[in-house]
Amino acid sequence: MSIHPVSRLLHSASCRNFWLALAALMALLEIGALLFQHLWQYYPCEVCIYVRVWVLALFWVALLALFIKRFFWGRLLCSALGLGLAVGLANESWNLIKIEYGVGDGGSCAFMANFPSWAPLDEWMPWMFQVQDMCKATPEIALGITMTHVLVVVSVALVLLFTAALVGVFQRKA
């Protein structure tokens, strides 16, 4: 007996493979960014650093979900956090679009990340969170597809997936 794809999507918050895939995707995005930075010398701007923070937070939520997804409140918490973080990632992706294509005010950035004093990530892990360049178009990955294009697709997909997962959390409770 096969489960309907919509049903699978709605119940993804309780599925171990959903959270493992999310953690793997976020890890791949971070590894890719670090390769571009440290191997190919495409240094990150302020907006790129904020993208890394959103991606890392999604990675940690996915790991947390692996332990608490079996409980209603765990699925609810992780799905809601995931949706909020995906919206944050989408916002930073939009900022990259503005910079890359000069949309609206064209976007802007500083040469220093604005982290709170209680979490100076650029001091704790400068190899990952230190701004090293001014904002400009992101590097091409392949076939004219840039990092910004990938982030837009990933963030929109995550917003849709987490919205469906949240609906499924409540549907399953009823």
Side-chain angles (χ1 to χ4, degrees), residues 61-83:
V61 166
L63 291 185
L64 174 65
L66 290 171
F67 295 99
I68 65 173
K69 68 177 175 47
R70 67 181 70 101
F71 308 107
F72 169 78
W73 290 106
R75 289 188 302 276
L76 177 63
L77 173 69
C78 291
S79 296
L81 280 173
L83 179 58

PDB file of all heavy atoms in Angstrom, residues 61-83:
ATOM      1  N   VAL A  61      18.576  22.831  14.199  1.00  0.00           N
ATOM      2  CA  VAL A  61      17.171  22.480  14.401  1.00  0.00           C
ATOM      3  C   VAL A  61      16.906  21.071  13.865  1.00  0.00           C
ATOM      4  O   VAL A  61      16.201  20.284  14.490  1.00  0.00           O
ATOM      5  CB  VAL A  61      16.232  23.522  13.739  1.00  0.00           C
ATOM      6  CG1 VAL A  61      14.801  23.003  13.643  1.00  0.00           C
ATOM      7  CG2 VAL A  61      16.268  24.821  14.518  1.00  0.00           C
ATOM      8  N   ALA A  62      17.488  20.757  12.724  1.00  0.00           N
ATOM      9  CA  ALA A  62      17.312  19.411  12.152  1.00  0.00           C
ATOM     10  C   ALA A  62      17.877  18.347  13.092  1.00  0.00           C
ATOM     11  O   ALA A  62      17.252  17.297  13.287  1.00  0.00           O
ATOM     12  CB  ALA A  62      17.980  19.326  10.786  1.00  0.00           C
ATOM     13  N   LEU A  63      19.026  18.618  13.673  1.00  0.00           N
ATOM     14  CA  LEU A  63      19.605  17.646  14.620  1.00  0.00           C
ATOM     15  C   LEU A  63      18.743  17.515  15.870  1.00  0.00           C
ATOM     16  O   LEU A  63      18.515  16.410  16.364  1.00  0.00           O
ATOM     17  CB  LEU A  63      21.029  18.048  14.990  1.00  0.00           C
ATOM     18  CG  LEU A  63      22.078  17.945  13.889  1.00  0.00           C
ATOM     19  CD1 LEU A  63      23.463  18.271  14.444  1.00  0.00           C
ATOM     20  CD2 LEU A  63      22.079  16.578  13.228  1.00  0.00           C
ATOM     21  N   LEU A  64      18.254  18.644  16.383  1.00  0.00           N
ATOM     22  CA  LEU A  64      17.373  18.612  17.548  1.00  0.00           C
ATOM     23  C   LEU A  64      16.113  17.801  17.246  1.00  0.00           C
ATOM     24  O   LEU A  64      15.663  16.996  18.068  1.00  0.00           O
ATOM     25  CB  LEU A  64      17.003  20.047  17.957  1.00  0.00           C
ATOM     26  CG  LEU A  64      15.963  20.187  19.070  1.00  0.00           C
ATOM     27  CD1 LEU A  64      16.518  19.626  20.378  1.00  0.00           C
ATOM     28  CD2 LEU A  64      15.550  21.641  19.221  1.00  0.00           C
ATOM     29  N   ALA A  65      15.559  18.002  16.067  1.00  0.00           N
ATOM     30  CA  ALA A  65      14.327  17.303  15.681  1.00  0.00           C
ATOM     31  C   ALA A  65      14.494  15.790  15.680  1.00  0.00           C
ATOM     32  O   ALA A  65      13.540  15.061  15.974  1.00  0.00           O
ATOM     33  CB  ALA A  65      13.866  17.777  14.307  1.00  0.00           C
ATOM     34  N   LEU A  66      15.681  15.329  15.362  1.00  0.00           N
ATOM     35  CA  LEU A  66      15.911  13.877  15.364  1.00  0.00           C
ATOM     36  C   LEU A  66      15.650  13.268  16.741  1.00  0.00           C
ATOM     37  O   LEU A  66      15.285  12.101  16.856  1.00  0.00           O
ATOM     38  CB  LEU A  66      17.330  13.564  14.901  1.00  0.00           C
ATOM     39  CG  LEU A  66      17.611  13.828  13.429  1.00  0.00           C
ATOM     40  CD1 LEU A  66      19.098  13.686  13.137  1.00  0.00           C
ATOM     41  CD2 LEU A  66      16.793  12.896  12.553  1.00  0.00           C
ATOM     42  N   PHE A  67      15.815  14.073  17.793  1.00  0.00           N
ATOM     43  CA  PHE A  67      15.624  13.575  19.149  1.00  0.00           C
ATOM     44  C   PHE A  67      14.231  13.840  19.715  1.00  0.00           C
ATOM     45  O   PHE A  67      13.769  13.100  20.577  1.00  0.00           O
ATOM     46  CB  PHE A  67      16.675  14.189  20.083  1.00  0.00           C
ATOM     47  CG  PHE A  67      18.063  13.759  19.737  1.00  0.00           C
ATOM     48  CD1 PHE A  67      18.884  14.586  18.990  1.00  0.00           C
ATOM     49  CD2 PHE A  67      18.544  12.515  20.120  1.00  0.00           C
ATOM     50  CE1 PHE A  67      20.167  14.193  18.640  1.00  0.00           C
ATOM     51  CE2 PHE A  67      19.823  12.111  19.774  1.00  0.00           C
ATOM     52  CZ  PHE A  67      20.634  12.944  19.035  1.00  0.00           C
ATOM     53  N   ILE A  68      13.561  14.898  19.238  1.00  0.00           N
ATOM     54  CA  ILE A  68      12.280  15.245  19.864  1.00  0.00           C
ATOM     55  C   ILE A  68      11.089  15.175  18.912  1.00  0.00           C
ATOM     56  O   ILE A  68       9.979  15.518  19.290  1.00  0.00           O
ATOM     57  CB  ILE A  68      12.351  16.640  20.532  1.00  0.00           C
ATOM     58  CG1 ILE A  68      12.562  17.744  19.510  1.00  0.00           C
ATOM     59  CG2 ILE A  68      13.418  16.670  21.602  1.00  0.00           C
ATOM     60  CD1 ILE A  68      12.466  19.152  20.095  1.00  0.00           C
ATOM     61  N   LYS A  69      11.282  14.672  17.701  1.00  0.00           N
ATOM     62  CA  LYS A  69      10.208  14.618  16.707  1.00  0.00           C
ATOM     63  C   LYS A  69       9.089  13.656  17.085  1.00  0.00           C
ATOM     64  O   LYS A  69       7.982  13.767  16.578  1.00  0.00           O
ATOM     65  CB  LYS A  69      10.762  14.250  15.332  1.00  0.00           C
ATOM     66  CG  LYS A  69      11.283  12.825  15.276  1.00  0.00           C
ATOM     67  CD  LYS A  69      11.761  12.472  13.915  1.00  0.00           C
ATOM     68  CE  LYS A  69      12.395  11.113  13.876  1.00  0.00           C
ATOM     69  NZ  LYS A  69      11.674  10.047  14.535  1.00  0.00           N
ATOM     70  N   ARG A  70       9.343  12.732  17.969  1.00  0.00           N
ATOM     71  CA  ARG A  70       8.307  11.748  18.308  1.00  0.00           C
ATOM     72  C   ARG A  70       7.219  12.334  19.200  1.00  0.00           C
ATOM     73  O   ARG A  70       6.163  11.754  19.358  1.00  0.00           O
ATOM     74  CB  ARG A  70       8.915  10.509  18.942  1.00  0.00           C
ATOM     75  CG  ARG A  70       9.538  10.717  20.297  1.00  0.00           C
ATOM     76  CD  ARG A  70      10.141   9.436  20.844  1.00  0.00           C
ATOM     77  NE  ARG A  70      11.311   9.067  20.104  1.00  0.00           N
ATOM     78  CZ  ARG A  70      12.557   9.270  20.513  1.00  0.00           C
ATOM     79  NH1 ARG A  70      12.788   9.819  21.668  1.00  0.00           N
ATOM     80  NH2 ARG A  70      13.570   8.907  19.780  1.00  0.00           N
ATOM     81  N   PHE A  71       7.482  13.518  19.767  1.00  0.00           N
ATOM     82  CA  PHE A  71       6.506  14.188  20.620  1.00  0.00           C
ATOM     83  C   PHE A  71       5.835  15.314  19.837  1.00  0.00           C
ATOM     84  O   PHE A  71       6.489  16.011  19.065  1.00  0.00           O
ATOM     85  CB  PHE A  71       7.183  14.770  21.862  1.00  0.00           C
ATOM     86  CG  PHE A  71       8.008  13.765  22.603  1.00  0.00           C
ATOM     87  CD1 PHE A  71       9.395  13.824  22.559  1.00  0.00           C
ATOM     88  CD2 PHE A  71       7.401  12.748  23.333  1.00  0.00           C
ATOM     89  CE1 PHE A  71      10.155  12.903  23.227  1.00  0.00           C
ATOM     90  CE2 PHE A  71       8.168  11.818  24.013  1.00  0.00           C
ATOM     91  CZ  PHE A  71       9.552  11.888  23.961  1.00  0.00           C
ATOM     92  N   PHE A  72       4.542  15.506  20.069  1.00  0.00           N
ATOM     93  CA  PHE A  72       3.809  16.574  19.376  1.00  0.00           C
ATOM     94  C   PHE A  72       4.519  17.911  19.532  1.00  0.00           C
ATOM     95  O   PHE A  72       4.744  18.622  18.552  1.00  0.00           O
ATOM     96  CB  PHE A  72       2.368  16.668  19.912  1.00  0.00           C
ATOM     97  CG  PHE A  72       1.660  17.901  19.436  1.00  0.00           C
ATOM     98  CD1 PHE A  72       1.135  17.958  18.150  1.00  0.00           C
ATOM     99  CD2 PHE A  72       1.533  19.016  20.253  1.00  0.00           C
ATOM    100  CE1 PHE A  72       0.498  19.107  17.694  1.00  0.00           C
ATOM    101  CE2 PHE A  72       0.894  20.163  19.801  1.00  0.00           C
ATOM    102  CZ  PHE A  72       0.378  20.207  18.520  1.00  0.00           C
ATOM    103  N   TRP A  73       4.866  18.279  20.761  1.00  0.00           N
ATOM    104  CA  TRP A  73       5.497  19.587  20.996  1.00  0.00           C
ATOM    105  C   TRP A  73       6.872  19.666  20.349  1.00  0.00           C
ATOM    106  O   TRP A  73       7.302  20.744  19.931  1.00  0.00           O
ATOM    107  CB  TRP A  73       5.577  19.892  22.495  1.00  0.00           C
ATOM    108  CG  TRP A  73       4.213  20.148  23.057  1.00  0.00           C
ATOM    109  CD1 TRP A  73       3.483  19.310  23.853  1.00  0.00           C
ATOM    110  CD2 TRP A  73       3.388  21.276  22.798  1.00  0.00           C
ATOM    111  NE1 TRP A  73       2.253  19.862  24.122  1.00  0.00           N
ATOM    112  CE2 TRP A  73       2.169  21.085  23.484  1.00  0.00           C
ATOM    113  CE3 TRP A  73       3.541  22.446  22.064  1.00  0.00           C
ATOM    114  CZ2 TRP A  73       1.136  21.999  23.462  1.00  0.00           C
ATOM    115  CZ3 TRP A  73       2.499  23.365  22.046  1.00  0.00           C
ATOM    116  CH2 TRP A  73       1.324  23.138  22.735  1.00  0.00           C
ATOM    117  N   GLY A  74       7.552  18.566  20.245  1.00  0.00           N
ATOM    118  CA  GLY A  74       8.845  18.550  19.561  1.00  0.00           C
ATOM    119  C   GLY A  74       8.693  18.799  18.075  1.00  0.00           C
ATOM    120  O   GLY A  74       9.437  19.591  17.478  1.00  0.00           O
ATOM    121  N   ARG A  75       7.702  18.120  17.453  1.00  0.00           N
ATOM    122  CA  ARG A  75       7.442  18.353  16.026  1.00  0.00           C
ATOM    123  C   ARG A  75       6.993  19.784  15.785  1.00  0.00           C
ATOM    124  O   ARG A  75       7.426  20.435  14.830  1.00  0.00           O
ATOM    125  CB  ARG A  75       6.376  17.376  15.504  1.00  0.00           C
ATOM    126  CG  ARG A  75       6.846  15.948  15.394  1.00  0.00           C
ATOM    127  CD  ARG A  75       5.825  15.067  14.702  1.00  0.00           C
ATOM    128  NE  ARG A  75       4.525  15.051  15.345  1.00  0.00           N
ATOM    129  CZ  ARG A  75       4.191  14.273  16.374  1.00  0.00           C
ATOM    130  NH1 ARG A  75       5.084  13.439  16.874  1.00  0.00           N
ATOM    131  NH2 ARG A  75       2.974  14.311  16.889  1.00  0.00           N
ATOM    132  N   LEU A  76       6.127  20.272  16.666  1.00  0.00           N
ATOM    133  CA  LEU A  76       5.631  21.638  16.534  1.00  0.00           C
ATOM    134  C   LEU A  76       6.773  22.641  16.670  1.00  0.00           C
ATOM    135  O   LEU A  76       6.925  23.537  15.835  1.00  0.00           O
ATOM    136  CB  LEU A  76       4.548  21.911  17.582  1.00  0.00           C
ATOM    137  CG  LEU A  76       3.992  23.332  17.601  1.00  0.00           C
ATOM    138  CD1 LEU A  76       3.300  23.648  16.287  1.00  0.00           C
ATOM    139  CD2 LEU A  76       3.039  23.508  18.778  1.00  0.00           C
ATOM    140  N   LEU A  77       7.581  22.486  17.699  1.00  0.00           N
ATOM    141  CA  LEU A  77       8.701  23.404  17.934  1.00  0.00           C
ATOM    142  C   LEU A  77       9.668  23.409  16.755  1.00  0.00           C
ATOM    143  O   LEU A  77      10.020  24.470  16.227  1.00  0.00           O
ATOM    144  CB  LEU A  77       9.449  23.020  19.219  1.00  0.00           C
ATOM    145  CG  LEU A  77      10.738  23.796  19.483  1.00  0.00           C
ATOM    146  CD1 LEU A  77      10.431  25.241  19.822  1.00  0.00           C
ATOM    147  CD2 LEU A  77      11.542  23.132  20.579  1.00  0.00           C
ATOM    148  N   CYS A  78      10.094  22.241  16.327  1.00  0.00           N
ATOM    149  CA  CYS A  78      11.092  22.167  15.253  1.00  0.00           C
ATOM    150  C   CYS A  78      10.531  22.637  13.911  1.00  0.00           C
ATOM    151  O   CYS A  78      11.228  23.301  13.146  1.00  0.00           O
ATOM    152  CB  CYS A  78      11.661  20.754  15.156  1.00  0.00           C
ATOM    153  SG  CYS A  78      12.694  20.347  16.585  1.00  0.00           S
ATOM    154  N   SER A  79       9.263  22.330  13.641  1.00  0.00           N
ATOM    155  CA  SER A  79       8.655  22.795  12.394  1.00  0.00           C
ATOM    156  C   SER A  79       8.481  24.308  12.408  1.00  0.00           C
ATOM    157  O   SER A  79       8.742  24.981  11.408  1.00  0.00           O
ATOM    158  CB  SER A  79       7.300  22.118  12.168  1.00  0.00           C
ATOM    159  OG  SER A  79       7.470  20.735  12.001  1.00  0.00           O
ATOM    160  N   ALA A  80       8.052  24.868  13.540  1.00  0.00           N
ATOM    161  CA  ALA A  80       7.883  26.318  13.643  1.00  0.00           C
ATOM    162  C   ALA A  80       9.235  27.028  13.573  1.00  0.00           C
ATOM    163  O   ALA A  80       9.379  28.044  12.870  1.00  0.00           O
ATOM    164  CB  ALA A  80       7.158  26.674  14.940  1.00  0.00           C
ATOM    165  N   LEU A  81      10.215  26.502  14.287  1.00  0.00           N
ATOM    166  CA  LEU A  81      11.567  27.078  14.208  1.00  0.00           C
ATOM    167  C   LEU A  81      12.103  26.982  12.784  1.00  0.00           C
ATOM    168  O   LEU A  81      12.690  27.935  12.272  1.00  0.00           O
ATOM    169  CB  LEU A  81      12.526  26.355  15.161  1.00  0.00           C
ATOM    170  CG  LEU A  81      12.471  26.741  16.626  1.00  0.00           C
ATOM    171  CD1 LEU A  81      13.358  25.799  17.443  1.00  0.00           C
ATOM    172  CD2 LEU A  81      12.882  28.177  16.828  1.00  0.00           C
ATOM    173  N   GLY A  82      11.902  25.832  12.159  1.00  0.00           N
ATOM    174  CA  GLY A  82      12.362  25.646  10.788  1.00  0.00           C
ATOM    175  C   GLY A  82      11.728  26.648   9.844  1.00  0.00           C
ATOM    176  O   GLY A  82      12.408  27.237   8.992  1.00  0.00           O
ATOM    177  N   LEU A  83      10.424  26.879  10.000  1.00  0.00           N
ATOM    178  CA  LEU A  83       9.736  27.847   9.149  1.00  0.00           C
ATOM    179  C   LEU A  83      10.279  29.250   9.382  1.00  0.00           C
ATOM    180  O   LEU A  83      10.577  29.981   8.426  1.00  0.00           O
ATOM    181  CB  LEU A  83       8.226  27.808   9.387  1.00  0.00           C
ATOM    182  CG  LEU A  83       7.406  28.800   8.561  1.00  0.00           C
ATOM    183  CD1 LEU A  83       7.623  28.589   7.066  1.00  0.00           C
ATOM    184  CD2 LEU A  83       5.930  28.694   8.931  1.00  0.00           C
TER     185      LEU A  83
END
